[in-house]
Amino acid sequence: MNLNELTFDERGLIPVVAQDAANGDVLMLAWANREALERTLDEGRMVYWSRSRQQLWRKGDTSGHVQHVEELRVDCDADVVLARVHQQGAACHTGERTCFFRGLERSQG
């Protein structure tokens, strides 16, 4: 597939699931626009689109927690990207290795 075959939403974004290429752990979910994916493919490092800051951000530029890309895969509907990465340091802004470090339980009552 190529970038022209992806289905971006009305904002020009597509969700990207980052997965540890070594062990399969899901590390984080972020968003990318076409330029972010182009830069990711060119640089071999994950680049995302920050919805809050309305700008591109290269994972690890400020934290040092870089994601080196092993491969990008696309789901069957071409509306989600799976980024298989080699994570250096924590993936989560809280300092956790993965953003999915909390379990969800049924409320009592």
Side-chain angles (χ1 to χ4, degrees):
M1 291 197 71
N2 64 55
L3 293 176
N4 293 328
E5 297 174 274
L6 295 179
T7 304
F8 294 91
D9 70 11
E10 65 281 350
R11 300 165 297 175
L13 302 176
I14 192 167
V16 179
V17 177
Q19 179 185 43
D20 188 307
N23 64 19
D25 286 351
V26 176
L27 300 172
M28 58 183 276
L29 170 78
W31 295 86
N33 60 12
R34 183 183 179 93
E35 183 181 1
L37 292 175
E38 287 171 344
R39 287 189 182 195
T40 294
L41 291 167
D42 289 344
E43 299 174 17
R45 281 183 55 191
M46 286 307 302
V47 179
Y48 299 104
W49 176 257
S50 171
R51 295 177 301 162
S52 60
R53 294 188 310 268
Q54 294 291 297
Q55 65 185 26
L56 293 172
W57 60 281
R58 184 176 295 98
K59 182 69 172 164
D61 274 359
T62 56
S63 68
H65 300 162
V66 177
Q67 291 177 341
H68 297 281
V69 179
E70 179 167 305
E71 69 175 332
L72 297 181
R73 301 194 61 84
V74 180
D75 79 327
C76 56
D77 295 323
D79 61 0
V80 178
V81 173
L82 174 66
R84 295 181 31 80
V85 302
H86 297 281
Q87 178 71 48
Q88 289 181 303
C92 185
H93 73 281
T94 66
E96 295 287 336
R97 176 164 164 31
T98 171
C99 292
F100 297 95
F101 61 92
R102 299 180 290 183
L104 183 63
E105 300 174 0
R106 184 180 201 112
S107 298
Q108 299 296 323

